[in-house]
Every structure is written in structure tokens, then in C-alpha cells.
Amino acid sequence: MKRRIFIGFTLLVAAFVLVAVLVTGNLVRTVARKQLLDQVVQEAEQISQELVGKDPRQALAGLISSSRVTLVASDGAVLFDNWADGELDNHADRPELAAAAREGSGSAIRYSDTTNSTAVYYAQRLEDGTLLRVAAPERLARGLAQGVAPFLVIAFLLLMALLLLFANIILDRLIKPIVSIDLDHPEDAVVYDELLPLVKRIDQQNKHTIAQMDALEARRMELNTLVNGMHEGFVAMSLKDEIILINPSACSMLGVTEDQALGKGLPAINRSPVILMVLEELRSLGTADGLLEKDGRVYMLLANRIQGRSGAILLLSDQTDKLQAEDMRKRFTANVSHELRTPLTTICGYAELLDKGMVKSEDAGQFYGVILRESKRMLTLVEDILRLSKLDEGHLAGQKAAVNLHEVAKAVSQSLELMADERKVHLSYEGTDAWVLGDATLLDELCSNLIDNAIKYNVENGTVKVRVTNCAQAILTVTDTGIGIEKEHQPRVFERFYRTDKSRSKATGGTGLGLSIVKHAAEFHKAKITLQSQVGQGTSITVVFPALRAQS
Ligand code: ADP
């Protein structure tokens, strides 16, 4: 920019200097002509003085002059001319001579055929009526102008150089503050007043841009926090199906790191047919879904093209627990139906026989007994089912209070003493105060089921020892010397309706739900269950409750 301004300015100055030189040259020429005219007037005056009382021709013959001196008769005939070699034509038409004849004197600057040059003429009428003319060639004036011209040119060139230097300094002063403005901190710039509005505008623009960038950054951070905190997997893909954003959940679901995934297509990190199918459907329909199985877990994939924009979004949600729960519910319903049908069939069959009078009166008592036992079994089963569904629905959440486990276990042990006696099992209890943050009814059921099982699955003259200790944590241990549980059954006895010996369980009035309730109750109290058992020797189940302060 500076260069362009400078070139423009130089051209302007050059044009100005050219005009100035021409005008000055013309002026010098005019002044020189004037001087020349004065000179010839003066000479004419001098010569006319010298001619007074003399014969003009003779007097002029002895005249020494660098000018052209001409004496012309009143009719225009040339009487004398110091520059002419021969006869000259009539000069009456010469403007200066015509003017002198008329008015006494006259002057002209014109081209002369006689001298072949432009000259300054002055003529005056003498007393005898003749006309005296003095002329000087203009080259004398030009010579003067030419003499002055170099000085003029030098002066103007110097002026031009000075102007350009000045222009350079001014340009520097104008441009330097603009160039030195730090666009990040325009308010710090030292500038002239006229630049202040510009600086203020840049400053405002900067602040506006910073505010916008901050807002954008905040939104980006919010989005990142949101996406990164999602339990669901989130993958954003470009139009070419390359991954441009992937959150940690999606990384762990697909078993890749962010670096491994970014910039790649989904098939490059997982070649499952489900993924290929989802991508294919996404391309053709703009939306797709599928179930992806990976490392024993099941993920639901939901893909959608971004409306009006390029790219697509893929969401992955872990469906394993939901599917397992669904599966468990289905099995549970099937089991419940099965478990209820058995006693109901017995009750129906026996009642029908009694109703039709097909039972001898002496056997009727036994039939009623079976109906009563099966009804009780059904009642227990229904109660257990209701209890479990309540636990499933989390109805008890938030109802915790400080409960003395020692009191609960002691009371349960006492209530089951009769049953133990009936089965010839020796039941003992020992314990100390052990406070647990929880639900008294649930703790009661936990103890009941464990002690009940220890009695049920025992042998004649066997023992059941119930202990509550309190060493920082409340611990309940129910140890029996019963039949024990085989190794392969041990991990499964806490499942619903799982029994190692169905007939024995049924014979003892078991529902197959007791240990499920124990497991749930322990989970509710964040307690840990351990089972130790040896076939023929007995079983010991320990429930360790967290320290009271650690519970929530
Ligand atoms: P049930 O109502 O059949 O007793 P549980 O859920 O309480 O159901 O127990 C599941 C199974 O675990 C029982 O059927 C039984 O086979 C086994 N079991 C539970 N406790 C004991 C124990 N103390 N000794 C031996 N086997 C046990």
C-alpha cells in the first residue's frame, strides 16, 4: 500500500514540477523579452540623440552595435540597415514601423525574413520624419532563459526530492502506527487521534470475538461433558462414515481406544455382520438398528442420519441386564406356574375324590391332611413370591433404621426351637449386640430362611449353631452339621427355585425361594454372603454386614 501511495505521490509531484518548469520557463522568456525590448528602446533613444543635427546615413555608417539598426524613410523605403548586404524591400507594412509612423513609436516581436529569426523590434519617428528602428534577435532572450533553465531544473529537482522525502516521512508517520497495532491488544497501541475510532472498533470486535469463542468453547465443553458422561455409547460419523467423535462408553463397548477409532470407519474396528448391516441400512433408509453381541454382553445399536447435514449418529446401549432380567422374569413366571400347579393339582384331585364320596371315611382325615399341607405350601409359596416381587420392585428402599441383629437372630432362633426339636436337631444361639442399618423384617426373614434351611437339611441328632458377632462389622453365621451341598450346586443355590434335592425340599415344605430372599435381603443391606459346605459334614453360611457408619 505504502509503495502504491508513494508511486502516486511521485507521479503527482513530477507532473507538478513539469508544469512549474514550463510556467517558469515561459515567465523567464517573457521577462527576457521585456528586458530585450527595454534594451532596444534604450539603444534607439541613444542613437536618436546621437543623430540630432547630423546626416543620419553618415552618422549610422560609423555606428558600432550588436543590434540591427535600420533607418526607413516615411514611405517605407529602407535607407540604412547595418545587417543587410543589399537592397531591402519596402518596410512600410512592418507593424512596428507602421505604429511609429502613426504614433511616434512602436514595437513588435516577430519573425524576420531578412534575419531568418524571431526578433524584438522597436521603432521611433525622428524629427525629419524618418523612422529609426532597433532590433535584437530573440535568441538573446532565449539565451538568458537557457542560462537560467538549468538552475531552475536543479531547483525543481531538489524540490521534488524534498517533497518525496517529506511524503515518505508523512507516509511512515501515517502507516507505522497502523502496522504497529497489536491486533490482540489494540488498546495498548500508541496512535494518532484519527486512528482511535479504528483501534476502538478492533478492540470491540476482539471482545466480541472472544466472547463468542468463549461461548462456543463453553458449549463444546458442555457437550463433551454430556457425551463423555453418557452411559450409552455415542459415536458421531462423517458423511464418509468415518468416526469423528466417540465417547468412553462406546470405546469400552467396542473394545477400542479413542485414538484407535478416530478417523476410521466402524467396520475397521468391528467387523460384526450386525455393524455391516446397520451401516448398509443407514445408507439406504437413513435409520437402522440391531443387536450387537460382544464379550458376553448385548448392545442395542441405533443409527440415524443427521437431518439436513452430513454424517450420522450411532447410539449403543447395554441391554444385557435388561435381557437377563426379562429372561429371569420369564423363567420365574414359568417356575411360579409350575410350582403352584403341583399343590393345586393335588388339592383339586383330593378334594374331587372327597366330593364324589370316593374316599372311605377312615381315610378322609389323611386326605384332608394332604389338602391342608399343600394349601399351606401354596400359601408359603405365594407369600415368598410376593416378598420377592416387593424386593424386586425396591419397595423397601429408603426405609432403613438401626436394627440390633443380635436381637433379631436370637428371636428367630427361639421361634424355630420347636421345629428343631421336632426334627431332633440341636439348635443353639450365641451373640452380642451388633447394630445394622437396615430393615428389621428383612433381617428377620434372612435369619429365618438360613436357620430354617439349617434345620431342614440336617440329620437326626445334628446341630445348628447360630452366632452373631460384632468386630467392627456385624456378622451372622449359621452353621449346621447337615447333609451339605455338593460343590457344583453351591454357586446356584441362591437362584430362584433352585434346589439340590427337589423331593427333600418339597417334603420339608421348601419353596426353592428361601435363599433368593436371603440374597436379596443381603444385597439390600450391602452385606456379603459366603457359603462353605461339605457333603455329609454340613454347611456354614456367613453374612457380613458393613460397619454401621459405612452404610447408607
Ligand atoms: P428351599 O425352600 O428348597 O429350602 P432355598 O432357596 O432355601 O429353597 O434353598 C435352595 C436349596 O439349597 C435347597 O433346596 C437345598 O437343596 C439347598 N440348601 C439350602 N440350605 C441348605 C443347607 N443348610 N444344607 C444343605 N442344603 C441346603
Side-chain angles (χ1 to χ4, degrees):
M1 186 64 191
K2 185 189 168 188
R3 209 168 142 252
R4 280 167 63 189
I5 294 175
F6 194 73
I7 289 172
F9 194 75
T10 308
L11 289 175
L12 193 74
V13 169
F16 167 75
V17 167
L18 191 71
V19 171
V21 164
L22 288 176
V23 169
T24 314
N26 211 28
L27 211 68
V28 168
R29 194 159 151 243
T30 309
V31 171
R33 276 180 173 179
K34 174 88 176 43
Q35 277 181 357
L36 207 57
L37 185 64
D38 288 349
Q39 194 185 309
V40 289
V41 169
Q42 213 179 346
E43 202 173 343
E45 290 287 341
Q46 230 171 16
I47 295 170
S48 66
Q49 297 278 317
E50 281 173 22
L51 291 182
V52 176
K54 293 179 189 167
D55 176 19
R57 283 196 213 194
Q58 278 181 3
L60 286 173
L63 181 79
I64 299 164
S65 171
S66 61
S67 306
R68 179 183 173 194
V69 181
T70 314
L71 188 69
V72 180
S74 56
D75 61 353
V78 178
L79 304 174
F80 173 82
D81 192 299
N82 62 345
W83 278 21
D85 292 336
E87 271 296 285
L88 288 174
D89 59 343
N90 190 293
H91 271 38
D93 60 341
R94 304 299 193 267
E96 69 281 0
L97 290 170
R102 257 188 343 265
E103 294 156 21
S105 69
S107 65
I109 298 168
R110 60 178 179 76
Y111 187 76
S112 159
D113 290 333
T114 315
T115 58
N116 286 331
S117 66
T118 304
V120 177
Y121 295 91
Y122 176 75
Q124 81 175 76
R125 195 170 60 211
L126 299 179
E127 280 174 355
D128 59 354
T130 54
L131 302 168
L132 175 69
R133 187 183 74 173
V134 179
E138 204 202 7
R139 67 173 178 276
L140 291 175
R142 204 181 296 137
L144 180 68
Q146 278 168 351
V148 175
F151 296 105
L152 267 179
V153 170
I154 289 171
F156 280 121
L157 283 177
L158 274 174
L159 180 68
M160 191 171 151
L162 267 173
L163 280 173
L164 290 179
L165 189 73
F166 188 59
N168 198 27
I169 292 169
I170 288 179
L171 274 178
D172 271 354
R173 284 202 178 173
L174 283 174
I175 290 168
K176 254 189 191 158
I178 299 174
V179 174
S180 67
I181 294 173
D182 179 358
L183 291 178
D184 291 331
H185 306 284
E187 70 281 3
D188 296 345
V190 182
V191 293
Y192 44 89
D193 291 352
E194 288 76 3
L195 265 187
L196 281 176
L198 175 72
V199 168
K200 276 186 187 155
R201 188 91 185 89
I202 296 173
D203 192 36
Q204 278 172 0
Q205 197 64 40
N206 270 2
K207 282 178 181 148
H208 184 64
T209 311
I210 289 170
Q212 272 187 334
M213 284 186 50
D214 284 352
L216 271 178
E217 181 60 17
R219 284 192 65 186
R220 199 184 65 84
M221 294 286 285
E222 268 174 31
L223 193 74
N224 265 7
T225 316
L226 207 76
V227 169
N228 288 344
M230 277 169 69
H231 284 300
E232 288 79 16
F234 179 92
V235 182
M237 291 178 291
S238 69
L239 191 64
K240 289 187 217 155
D241 288 340
E242 284 168 354
I243 297 171
I244 49 175
L245 183 70
I246 183 165
N247 73 349
S249 300
C251 283
S252 78
M253 287 174 187
L254 296 169
V256 283
T257 63
E258 193 182 354
D259 288 345
Q260 285 169 338
L262 287 178
K264 297 203 181 101
L266 266 181
I269 55 172
N270 191 310
R271 284 210 64 83
S272 154
V274 181
I275 295 233
L276 298 178
M277 185 205 77
V278 164
L279 287 177
E280 195 52 50
E281 241 178 67
L282 183 68
R283 256 175 238 128
S284 53
L285 303 174
T287 176
D289 57 61
L291 280 179
L292 171 73
E293 283 187 41
K294 192 169 189 304
D295 304 331
R297 302 206 67 85
V298 185
Y299 303 108
M300 166 69 107
L301 303 185
L302 270 175
N304 267 302
R305 280 256 162 253
I306 302 169
Q307 289 294 320
R309 294 197 183 195
S310 49
I313 295 291
L314 177 78
L315 282 176
L316 298 98
S317 62
D318 193 338
Q319 301 288 310
T320 320
D321 295 343
K322 196 176 147 200
L323 292 174
Q324 272 175 359
E326 244 168 54
D327 191 47
M328 221 173 84
R329 232 186 324 271
K330 274 185 203 155
R331 272 192 288 135
F332 184 60
T333 316
N335 278 331
V336 166
S337 320
H338 178 76
E339 293 293 330
L340 285 174
R341 182 180 285 148
T342 318
L344 261 177
T345 313
T346 313
I347 292 166
C348 260
Y350 277 56
E352 208 174 342
L353 288 174
L354 285 167
D355 185 50
K356 287 183 178 165
M358 293 169 73
V359 182
K360 288 182 203 159
S361 54
E362 62 265 31
D363 295 333
Q366 195 197 336
F367 274 62
Y368 285 123
V370 172
I371 291 172
L372 187 68
R373 197 187 69 224
E374 290 302 311
S375 302
K376 276 186 181 167
R377 222 163 74 78
M378 255 179 63
L379 201 65
T380 322
L381 190 66
V382 170
E383 274 171 2
D384 280 357
I385 291 166
L386 284 174
R387 194 83 205 130
L388 268 175
S389 35
K390 268 192 186 166
L391 285 167
D392 280 344
E393 287 163 22
H395 277 188
L396 288 162
Q399 297 178 4
K400 288 179 180 170
V403 182
N404 191 346
L405 184 65
H406 161 61
E407 293 293 346
V408 175
K410 195 168 117 188
V412 172
S413 300
Q414 280 166 358
S415 71
L416 290 173
E417 258 169 19
L418 190 67
M419 178 188 165
D421 286 348
E422 278 172 9
R423 298 187 186 228
K424 297 194 175 61
V425 172
H426 177 69
L427 171 67
S428 66
Y429 174 81
E430 63 167 318
T432 51
D433 286 340
W435 291 91
V436 166
L437 190 65
D439 178 75
T441 318
L442 260 189
L443 288 170
D444 185 294
E445 277 171 17
L446 182 144
C447 295
S448 292
N449 281 304
L450 288 178
I451 302 168
D452 183 87
N453 279 353
I455 299 169
K456 274 191 317 191
Y457 302 107
N458 217 315
V459 290
E460 223 176 285
N461 295 321
T463 58
V464 174
K465 284 183 181 163
V466 182
R467 256 180 95 190
V468 171
T469 56
N470 184 17
C471 320
Q473 290 169 300
I475 301 170
L476 166 74
T477 314
V478 179
T479 312
D480 66 63
T481 55
I483 57 171
I485 306 166
E486 283 178 46
K487 267 256 175 305
E488 78 245 40
H489 295 304
Q490 287 178 16
R492 298 200 61 191
V493 286
F494 292 94
E495 286 174 22
R496 293 174 187 192
F497 296 112
Y498 191 86
R499 296 137 162 152
T500 58
D501 182 347
K502 219 163 191 169
S503 53
R504 177 159 185 152
S505 165
K506 280 189 179 169
T508 54
T511 59
L513 296 172
L515 285 184
S516 299
I517 294 172
V518 169
K519 186 181 144 197
H520 259 290
E523 275 170 7
F524 175 79
H525 290 93
K526 297 192 174 87
K528 211 173 154 237
I529 305 176
T530 44
L531 181 147
Q532 283 177 318
S533 185
Q534 266 200 331
V535 178
Q537 290 195 16
T539 304
S540 177
I541 295 180
T542 308
V543 188
V544 181
F545 293 84
L548 198 58
R549 259 177 285 112
Q551 294 185 50
S552 56

